[in-house]
Amino acid sequence: MPHMEAEQLIKAANELFQIESDAHAGAASLAAAMAETSGALASGGLSMGEALGGAAEAWAGKRMKPTGELVVNLAEFLTVYSQEMVDLDEFTGNEFEKHKGLVQRRSSSNVM
Amino acid sequence: MTAVSELNWQQVNQLPVDAVKSAADYWTTYRGKVVESAETVGSDVAKTIGDEHFGGDVADASRGQLQKIATEFEQHVDEFAKPLAVLLEDAHEVLSRDKQAMNAAVERVLDAQLAIKPDGEVYLTDTVLGNIVRWAQANAERAGKPWQTLAETEIARWQQQACDPMTAQVKGIVEAARAHDDDITTKLNALRDKHVDMPPPVGSDENKDVAEYWASKAVDLLNGGADGKMSPAELDEFNKLVEERSGQPEFSTALMNKLGPDGLVEHLDKVSNDVFGDDKSTYSKEQLSAMHESLGKTLATATDPTKQPHVDERWTAEFMNRGATGDNSNAPNGYQTVAPLLKHGKYHEDFLTPVAEHMMAIDKQGPWPDGSELDNLGGPKNPNANPLNYALEAVDHNPKAAQNLFTGNGKGMEDIEGVDLSGTPAVEDPVKYLMDRAEDSKAGGNLFTGGTDGDRRDPLDPNLVGNALESAATGVSTDPDYKDRPVVDSNAGKVADKVIDYATENRHKFTKEPMNDMVDNFGNITAAYMDDFHRSIASPTTQGWAVDRGPSLDLGSDATQAGKWLKLMGSDEIASATVQAASERLMYDQIQTARTTTDLEPGTAYNEAFEMHGNVTAAVTDGTLDAIADGVHQQAEDHNDVVDAVKKVVEGGAGVAFGYATGPWGGEAAGQVTSAIADRVGKQFEITEAEAARTVADKTTTAYQKALADYSSPNASIERLLANERSMNDITKSTTLENFTQRFNDSIQWVVRGYTDTAEEEEAEEKEGS
């Protein structure tokens, strides 16, 4: 049997959830700030205003959201593995529900 | 799309550069936080589950995933956040310069007591003009000139020496600011659109290790597991497992690499031989079909070079070599086993075109070997017996592959290194070859004689040939589920030219079975190129064209060839309806374009469009009468099919690849027009053979007018257009409406004359006149 300290895996999962939460909050603040700037630039007649808004959306949707999902996926896997030692190949994430009480928080579902 | 800034001088004068600076600072601060996240993931969390706390393969994989996530964060910063912050800093710098330049220019203008119009032109204010007038009045006597002359001279001097240079300066600053805005916008859009590759999540099938695991399991199932004999339940499990993962490149490539082309053919043969063999079957036909579908989609994914990973070219070469050979000299070829896979999934042109071209080259050498499972699927003398039909169906689903196949562009079979092409040279003219072979597919003949024209046991389906040609020529698949954008470039036009040339030279072939099955495809091709047909049959003096939206045909002003082709459309009710609807639609497009973009007199704009549509309708109707008189017309079995064909054109569906404007057919009008055209075409096909023969023999305007039937629908649409014409009075509108009918009479004359080339005719008339 491979060596595994369950409490360390839970700790790592909590750290990951915190990272995701911070990233989510940061991305949300950025999105709000860029929406405001984008509007001001567009009102000033600059076509770059709309483009900046589009770029900020792409940052949130194409980069931070999927990366946040990767972080959550690994956090959930570590949580489940710490209890069930489920095979890496067969982990689907569905098992997390019954162990979510082990971690301090569930990830935000809408990473922006 | 290129950005086009519309900044004006006032906006440049007040550019919100502070907001740009704030945004740049925000991104700089923010990207630092993302870097911190990357460090925390890659370092702190990795320590939490370090070797001393967590050991084994899963621990290594978990730590590996942490590093991938950390790298992702870093890449986002390097690829996006950092360049964006730099871009905004640069933007702030250049836009600030523009703003300062404009502020200074405006100050100079104001100091000179001048003013600036919204378009940037600097002009003399009333104050300056008043000063000049007063000065001129005071100095007129001394100068010995009227004060007005003095004033005009002075105003011109001011204009030349003060206003014009300042105008150039203001406009120059605006242009520079616009260029900067455009440049920044383009770069921001490039960042937005940059492709992002993400590592797969833990446990995902997209993960290489996981994909390998499932691919191995799939092969185990095919091999029958522990007892070495695949049960029906194991085949079901295989089909389900593969179907669910058939869109995943990692899994698809892993499975195809594990099976290899030999294994693919072998396992398919095993199941189909069982299903169609003499002994009692273990598996069902439904299970075999499911196997074709799941493996077909998987093969399409694995051979797509735009997906990562994909099988290498050596795999494709082995696939083609196996496709061309059987287990022994008399056995069916590999292609005869794997062909049904091609019906499923969308194959990339770099794989499909070489394979289709290879199959065509083999097909040209003579009948495919007997005894393949294809015979069982469709029965002898059924198109299902020829693997090339499956390739044509796949080609139809990918217009780019179809265009490459028919024009010789792109990757072909000779470009795949390692394929044994001895004895199977490429077919020189695929359009002609497939047309000729499809004609050979007529019913009858002896099943086992093979090889003689008209008697092949492995026919080609004219419908599939027609669909593949339509797909290539219009850039849109005939598959109703096709949702991609039309693949429209000069290759599409080249294929359309080839089809038009062949069909107009061999018109008789297409008015009867089996080749008349293709005429509905020709109708869709005509609809896509209706603009070219209108141009070819228009008077040389015509000026009011629609906006050119696609590649052009070689027809030029060859009204005779256009007429012959359009006449052929008339032999098929669906094609006739499609073409008449497309022409009518374009007629409105032409009127609207001429009215909004040219200085043509309104009446001329209408009459020119009427003429082109009239010629199309008359030619198509002539074809209908001719075909009915000869007993070779093709009437739609169901009127709803005619309605659907018209609806597709009226509503601008996929069949009208190059997308004309909507004309006056929005909302309810579209439904009314659809019914009217479909009903009118339906009536044209209700005419008796004797009546059609009389009309064709009479060749009189009256007889043809009758055949054109009720034209109230276009009149109603034209009335709607005319209602919005403010520059035309009621009498002109009424005359224009009457001209519509008159133009049809002229068109009938053109048809009665035998599609005489308009240009030649006019030249002849000029000579006569002189």
Side-chain angles (χ1 to χ4, degrees):
Chain A
M1 284 293 283
H3 172 61
M4 186 269 285
E5 295 170 15
E7 66 278 14
Q8 286 300 112
L9 269 59
I10 297 294
K11 187 181 171 200
N14 277 321
E15 288 170 352
L16 287 171
F17 279 128
Q18 187 58 46
I19 288 164
E20 189 277 330
S21 180
D22 292 346
H24 171 74
S29 300
L30 176 88
M34 288 309 117
E36 195 179 325
T37 306
S38 162
L41 300 183
S43 300
L46 286 161
S47 65
M48 67 168 282
E50 192 181 334
L52 179 63
E57 280 176 21
W59 168 265
K62 282 170 68 177
R63 291 177 182 269
M64 294 314 284
K65 184 171 186 282
T67 308
E69 285 168 355
L70 281 181
V71 174
V72 169
N73 163 264
L74 183 58
E76 291 186 347
F77 171 71
L78 292 174
T79 307
V80 174
Y81 188 83
S82 70
Q83 306 303 306
E84 299 184 4
M85 297 188 74
V86 62
D87 196 327
L88 184 74
D89 296 343
E90 295 184 339
F91 172 69
T92 62
N94 296 333
E95 306 93 327
F96 177 69
E97 275 300 304
K98 60 185 173 188
H99 303 301
K100 67 178 179 181
L102 292 168
V103 288
Q104 288 163 9
R105 60 173 286 281
R106 179 80 202 266
S107 126
S108 45
S109 55
N110 292 311
V111 181
M112 280 297 295
Chain B
M1 195 175 174
T2 312
V4 182
S5 175
E6 293 178 349
L7 282 168
N8 57 38
W9 73 267
Q10 291 106 323
Q11 289 168 328
V12 177
N13 199 41
Q14 297 175 356
L15 280 173
V17 289
D18 291 344
V20 179
K21 177 67 174 137
S22 299
D25 292 345
Y26 200 112
W27 275 96
T28 303
T29 310
Y30 175 74
R31 82 173 194 240
K33 291 180 185 167
V34 180
V35 171
E36 281 174 22
S37 296
E39 285 166 1
T40 310
V41 171
S43 176
D44 298 355
V45 183
K47 277 183 194 156
T48 307
I49 53 168
D51 274 340
E52 66 276 26
H53 305 297
F54 192 16
D57 292 345
V58 173
D60 289 341
S62 300
R63 285 189 288 270
Q65 187 72 358
L66 279 177
Q67 294 310 318
K68 285 179 190 168
I69 293 169
T71 305
E72 274 309 300
F73 276 125
E74 285 163 0
Q75 278 182 355
H76 295 331
V77 169
D78 289 344
E79 291 176 0
F80 195 107
K82 200 171 170 182
L84 181 58
V86 171
L87 177 60
L88 291 173
E89 287 286 356
D90 292 347
H92 174 251
E93 195 180 322
V94 292
L95 293 175
S96 294
R97 277 206 303 267
D98 294 333
K99 184 178 180 178
Q100 284 163 11
M102 185 59 82
N103 290 164
V106 171
E107 208 171 311
R108 282 194 294 276
V109 170
L110 295 177
D111 285 349
Q113 292 188 307
L114 302 175
I116 313 173
K117 291 180 182 172
D119 67 355
E121 190 183 331
V122 176
Y123 65 97
L124 302 174
T125 57
D126 289 347
T127 309
V128 174
L129 288 170
N131 290 342
I132 292 172
V133 167
R134 279 190 291 280
W135 170 85
Q137 287 169 338
N139 291 281
E141 195 176 333
R142 194 178 51 165
K145 291 179 183 170
W147 70 266
Q148 291 90 339
T149 308
L150 268 189
E152 276 174 20
T153 308
E154 187 62 6
I155 288 170
R157 192 181 67 80
W158 269 79
Q159 185 68 41
Q160 196 180 6
Q161 293 181 3
C163 296
D164 289 352
M166 287 188 183
T167 297
Q169 201 174 31
V170 168
K171 286 191 174 178
I173 298 167
V174 169
E175 284 310 308
R178 284 179 177 177
H180 292 144
D181 188 21
D182 279 344
D183 182 47
I184 299 159
T185 301
T186 303
K187 286 173 178 164
L188 284 169
N189 287 341
L191 278 176
R192 177 197 63 194
D193 297 335
K194 191 173 171 60
H195 177 72
V196 184
D197 276 323
M198 284 280 170
V202 167
S204 156
D205 289 344
E206 294 161 35
N207 193 302
K208 189 172 186 296
D209 295 337
V210 180
E212 287 282 341
Y213 166 83
W214 289 117
S216 297
K217 185 162 183 176
V219 175
D220 282 349
L221 286 167
L222 281 180
N223 288 328
D227 64 358
K229 186 170 184 345
M230 181 168 65
S231 68
E234 283 172 322
L235 179 54
D236 279 341
E237 191 180 345
F238 170 85
N239 286 335
K240 185 169 181 291
L241 187 160
V242 176
E243 173 74 28
E244 284 174 357
R245 292 164 179 79
S246 59
Q248 296 165 3
E250 286 283 5
F251 168 79
S252 300
T253 305
L255 180 60
M256 287 302 149
N257 279 332
K258 282 181 193 299
L259 287 174
D262 281 342
L264 183 65
V265 173
E266 182 195 326
H267 286 292
L268 279 164
D269 262 343
K270 188 172 71 181
V271 175
S272 61
N273 286 341
D274 170 85
V275 171
F276 296 114
D278 295 334
D279 299 332
K280 194 181 172 199
S281 302
T282 305
Y283 317 111
S284 67
K285 284 182 185 175
E286 289 73 24
Q287 285 182 302
L288 177 60
S289 295
M291 193 176 182
H292 286 151
E293 186 169 348
S294 62
L295 280 172
K297 291 176 183 170
T298 307
L299 180 64
T301 304
T303 53
D304 186 341
T306 65
K307 296 198 164 95
Q308 295 300 337
H310 55 267
V311 294
D312 57 21
E313 194 167 287
R314 197 170 61 179
W315 193 98
T316 303
E318 283 175 21
F319 177 85
M320 291 170 70
N321 286 333
R322 182 65 183 86
T325 51
D327 290 337
N328 57 59
S329 57
N330 295 320
N333 292 347
Y335 280 143
Q336 290 170 277
T337 299
V338 298
L341 269 56
L342 300 177
K343 288 175 69 165
H344 308 285
K346 187 185 167 191
Y347 287 83
H348 192 275
E349 56 271 15
D350 286 354
F351 173 79
L352 181 57
T353 307
V355 167
E357 201 180 4
H358 194 208
M359 282 192 192
M360 203 186 312
I362 296 169
D363 186 80
K364 195 181 178 191
Q365 301 309 310
W368 294 78
D370 291 341
S372 83
E373 70 158 288
L374 296 186
D375 294 347
N376 296 314
L377 282 173
K381 291 302 288 181
N382 184 300
N384 279 329
N386 190 321
L388 182 53
N389 282 313
Y390 295 86
L392 290 173
E393 192 170 342
V395 160
D396 168 22
H397 294 161
N398 179 351
K400 185 72 187 165
Q403 288 164 359
N404 287 352
L405 181 68
F406 294 124
T407 61
N409 282 303
K411 194 174 251 191
M413 66 178 190
E414 285 159 356
D415 299 315
I416 307 290
E417 198 178 335
V419 182
D420 179 6
L421 296 174
S422 53
T424 51
V427 171
E428 272 185 30
D429 185 345
V431 173
K432 183 178 184 311
Y433 176 73
L434 291 177
M435 291 282 204
D436 290 345
R437 272 284 279 125
E439 197 196 4
D440 290 347
S441 302
K442 59 195 171 193
N446 185 325
L447 168 60
F448 298 108
T449 53
T452 312
D453 280 356
D455 215 11
R456 284 276 291 258
R457 53 165 292 283
D458 49 0
L460 286 187
D461 185 342
N463 268 313
L464 296 175
V465 174
N467 289 350
L469 288 169
E470 180 186 328
S471 175
T474 65
V476 177
S477 169
T478 67
D479 181 353
D481 294 329
Y482 182 83
K483 296 285 184 281
D484 293 351
R485 292 178 65 180
V487 184
V488 181
D489 58 24
S490 60
N491 286 324
K494 282 180 194 164
V495 178
D497 283 328
K498 283 171 186 272
V499 173
I500 292 167
D501 286 346
Y502 184 94
T504 48
E505 283 165 19
N506 300 278
R507 187 175 163 270
H508 61 283
K509 290 185 181 179
F510 294 93
T511 52
K512 53 185 185 292
E513 287 185 343
M515 299 294 270
N516 59 1
D517 276 352
M518 276 188 216
V519 181
D520 57 341
N521 298 114
F522 295 171
N524 290 330
I525 293 173
T526 316
Y529 292 92
M530 188 50 74
D531 185 36
D532 290 270
F533 285 98
H534 273 200
R535 285 170 193 261
S536 69
I537 57 180
S539 298
T541 54
T542 303
Q543 297 173 60
W545 307 112
V547 176
D548 191 1
R549 291 187 169 83
S552 296
L553 300 176
D554 275 347
L555 271 176
S557 58
D558 190 347
T560 309
Q561 188 181 21
K564 281 182 186 172
W565 168 266
L566 291 168
K567 187 172 178 177
L568 174 59
M569 300 305 107
S571 65
D572 179 277
E573 191 176 351
I574 299 283
S576 173
T578 301
V579 172
Q580 292 193 45
S583 177
E584 191 172 325
R585 182 178 175 137
L586 184 61
M587 174 177 74
Y588 300 122
D589 198 3
Q590 281 162 345
I591 293 170
Q592 288 182 320
T593 307
R595 294 291 295 115
T596 52
T597 63
T598 72
D599 296 329
L600 276 181
E601 285 292 317
T604 309
Y606 278 81
N607 284 334
E608 286 182 355
F610 292 166
E611 182 197 30
M612 291 182 261
H613 176 52
N615 284 359
V616 169
T617 309
V620 172
T621 306
D622 185 38
T624 304
L625 292 168
D626 225 24
I628 292 174
D630 289 348
V632 293
H633 65 290
Q634 188 161 243
Q635 204 158 353
E637 286 178 16
D638 187 341
H639 184 66
N640 287 332
D641 293 341
V642 183
V643 175
D644 288 345
V646 175
K647 197 173 171 189
K648 192 165 81 168
V649 177
V650 169
E651 293 180 356
V656 189
F658 309 147
Y660 299 120
T662 51
W665 287 354
E668 256 181 58
Q672 290 165 6
V673 169
T674 300
S675 303
I677 296 173
D679 290 347
R680 189 175 69 241
V681 174
K683 276 183 197 164
Q684 289 174 343
F685 275 80
E686 280 171 11
I687 197 167
T688 65
E689 196 172 316
E691 206 177 335
R694 266 200 308 278
T695 307
V696 173
D698 280 358
K699 288 266 183 239
T700 61
T701 305
T702 316
Y704 272 86
Q705 269 177 327
K706 197 177 164 194
L708 277 168
D710 174 24
Y711 242 92
S712 59
S713 156
N715 281 335
S717 299
I718 293 162
E719 277 176 4
R720 271 196 290 276
L721 274 186
L722 288 170
N724 294 323
E725 290 286 0
R726 290 181 186 167
S727 63
M728 293 169 86
N729 60 34
D730 288 346
I731 296 171
T732 318
K733 286 180 182 178
S734 172
T735 310
T736 304
L737 202 56
E738 282 168 19
N739 278 346
F740 180 67
T741 313
Q742 183 54 44
R743 289 286 162 177
F744 267 87
N745 292 340
D746 296 343
S747 300
I748 290 164
Q749 287 302 316
W750 172 63
V751 169
V752 169
R753 281 197 304 270
Y755 307 99
T756 314
D757 188 282
T758 314
E760 287 173 12
E761 180 196 333
E762 294 215 348
E763 275 173 28
E765 278 175 4
E766 275 175 23
K767 278 180 190 168
E768 269 181 29
S770 63

